[in-house]
């Protein structure tokens, strides 16, 4: 590891064992920083520290600390006041317990540091603590003071180095009240199956392969403008259509993820889509066959009635009352049957 300036010197208190260490930042920011300028002439905009009472700029040596009371009163606090406070961890990382790593909520994670052994005598106890942490598969919980306040930390092994993560105090973690959806939502098994399929399709990734595309684009733009060239414009992606059907969105996501990896949809995926469409409320088949059978039966019944009502008209009858009743039930087209009876009588 290249030499990095330490930000804190002290010792790890491991029972009666003291390990001199140096605290080094384990992370660094690669984001591109900008300056504020006057757009008319390009002049730098600077912030100057001005005393409100004297209306003049003051030097850093003249600036101190103060606590602002509720009524606006300033209570001066000096470095001597802070140095006299009973903070045993002012120059010591005091280990208070060893716990399994899964006991630490990731929400508590803060800044990360490397602990470097400070001097040759620190090498042996440093290695002892490192190997003890490895074998126990636990992390150390410690207290330490940095930048004027006491903090909580977690020590763990990274490669052959002891790293320390700053932790937020438990009362600094907000309760997630009112954050989750307040409506009752039912998730179907088919939706979970498609979500699992999408997770499997996306698969895993080597975090070392991930990089900041936006920062690279900013750097390319700055390089182009510095050389007097016109920065290349990247067309913004077309906004996708809003998908209201969750199942359709999941299916499309799985399909696009497979296509991006050069894979083709499997037969099982096609079968799953067919099953999803069958259970969809919109795909419920209409009950038209039942209506057709009912109308056919009705037609058959009507035809049978007509044949029954027509058959008495074919045979001549001498009973006038029965003939009249039958004729009223039959259709009007059978009226010529009435004329056949008187003709036979006259003969």
């Amino acid at each position: 590891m290249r030499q990095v300036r330490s930000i804190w010197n002290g010792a790890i208190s491991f029972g009666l064992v003291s390990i001199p260490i140096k605290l080094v930042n384990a992370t660094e920011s690669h984001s591109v920083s900008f300056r504020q300028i006057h757009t008319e002439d390009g002049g730098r905009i600077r912030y100057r520290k001005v005393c409100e009472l004297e209306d003049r700029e003051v030097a850093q040596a003249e600036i101190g600390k103060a606590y602002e009371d509720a009524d606006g009163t300033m209570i001066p606090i000096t470095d001597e006041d802070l140095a006299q406070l009973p903070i045993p961890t002012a120059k010591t990382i005091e280990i208070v317990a060893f716990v399994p790593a899964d006991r630490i909520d990731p929400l508590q994670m803060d800044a990360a540091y490397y602990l470097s052994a400070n001097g040759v005598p620190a090498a042996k106890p440093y290695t002892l603590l490192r190997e003890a942490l490895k074998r126990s598969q636990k992390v150390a919980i410690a207290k330490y003071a940095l930048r004027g306040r006491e903090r909580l930390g977690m020590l763990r092994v990274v490669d052959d180095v002891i790293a320390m993560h700053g932790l937020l105090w438990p009362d600094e973690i907000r309760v997630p009240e009112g954050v989750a959806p307040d409506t009752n939502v039912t998730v179907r098994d088919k939706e979970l199956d498609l979500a699992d399929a999408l997770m499997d399709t996306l698969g895993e990734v080597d975090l070392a392969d991930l990089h900041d595309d936006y920062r690279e684009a900013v750097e390319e733009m700055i390089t182009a403008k510095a050389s007097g060239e016109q920065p290349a414009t990247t067309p913004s992606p077309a906004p996708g259509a809003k998908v209201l059907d969750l199942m359709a969105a999941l299916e499309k996501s799985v399909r696009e993820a497979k296509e991006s990896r050069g894979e083709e949809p499997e037969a099982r995926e096609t079968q799953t889509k067919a099953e999803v469409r069958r259970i969809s409320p919109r795909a419920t088949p209409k009950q038209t066959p039942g209506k057709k059978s009912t109308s056919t039966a009705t037609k058959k019944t009507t035809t049978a009635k007509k044949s029954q009502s027509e058959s008495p008209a074919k045979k001549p009858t001498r009973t006038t009352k029965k003939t009249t009743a039958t004729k009223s039930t039959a259709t009007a087209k059978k009226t010529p049957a009435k004329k056949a009876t008187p003709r036979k009588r006259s003969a």
Side-chain angles (χ1 to χ4, degrees), residues 67-220:
Y67 175 79
E68 185 176 3
D69 205 355
D71 59 357
T73 303
M74 295 294 178
I75 304 174
I77 303 295
T78 65
D79 292 338
E80 290 75 16
D81 294 333
L82 296 175
Q84 293 175 3
L85 293 176
I87 303 180
T89 57
K91 285 293 181 180
T92 305
I93 299 176
E94 181 184 356
I95 296 177
V96 296
F98 292 87
V99 300
D102 57 7
R103 286 271 303 276
I104 306 301
D105 191 336
L107 284 173
Q108 287 186 257
M109 295 288 188
D110 203 356
Y113 309 95
Y114 289 135
L115 304 183
S116 173
N118 192 2
V120 176
K124 180 64 180 278
Y126 183 96
T127 305
L128 173 65
L129 176 60
R130 183 191 66 197
E131 296 304 315
L133 288 172
K134 281 184 179 180
R135 190 166 72 170
S136 67
Q137 297 183 348
K138 293 183 177 181
V139 297
I141 303 301
K143 289 182 177 182
Y144 67 102
L146 183 65
R147 297 188 181 95
R149 72 184 188 93
E150 190 172 50
R151 302 167 187 263
L152 194 63
M154 179 192 74
L155 276 63
R156 69 183 183 99
V157 178
V158 177
D159 294 335
D160 288 332
V161 177
I162 299 177
M164 182 174 70
H165 295 268
L167 298 179
L168 299 175
W169 295 97
D171 59 358
E172 292 179 319
I173 304 297
R174 291 180 176 176
V175 179
E177 185 177 355
V179 179
D182 56 356
T183 56
N184 293 327
V185 178
T186 301
V187 179
R188 296 180 294 173
D189 290 339
K190 287 294 182 182
E191 294 168 339
L192 285 174
D193 292 341
L194 283 172
D196 291 340
L198 177 58
M199 293 169 63
D200 293 339
T201 304
L202 294 176
E204 298 181 358
V205 66
D206 186 357
L207 296 181
D209 296 336
L210 300 179
H211 57 277
D212 190 346
D213 295 326
Y214 178 76
R215 175 175 60 86
E216 292 179 357
V218 171
E219 291 174 348
E220 292 175 0

Side-chain angles (χ1 to χ4, degrees), residues 8-31:
W8 185 88
N9 292 345
I12 300 176
S13 175
F14 179 31
L16 297 178
V17 178
S18 181
I19 310 171
I21 57 99
K22 294 185 294 184
L23 197 66
V24 177
N25 280 322
T27 61
E28 57 185 0
S29 175
H30 290 164
S31 61

Side-chain angles (χ1 to χ4, degrees), residues 249-291:
L250 289 170
E251 289 177 0
K252 185 178 180 181
S253 301
V254 173
R255 184 168 60 254
E256 291 180 351
K258 287 190 174 183
E259 290 175 355
S260 66
R261 291 175 176 267
E263 300 177 7
E264 295 184 358
E266 300 176 356
R268 183 177 178 183
E269 180 186 353
T270 307
Q271 181 180 359
T272 304
K273 291 179 182 178
E275 292 176 357
V276 171
R277 290 192 184 97
R278 281 202 296 269
I279 66 171
S280 176
R282 287 184 243 172
T284 305
K286 297 180 180 179
Q287 301 296 330
T288 52
K291 291 182 179 180

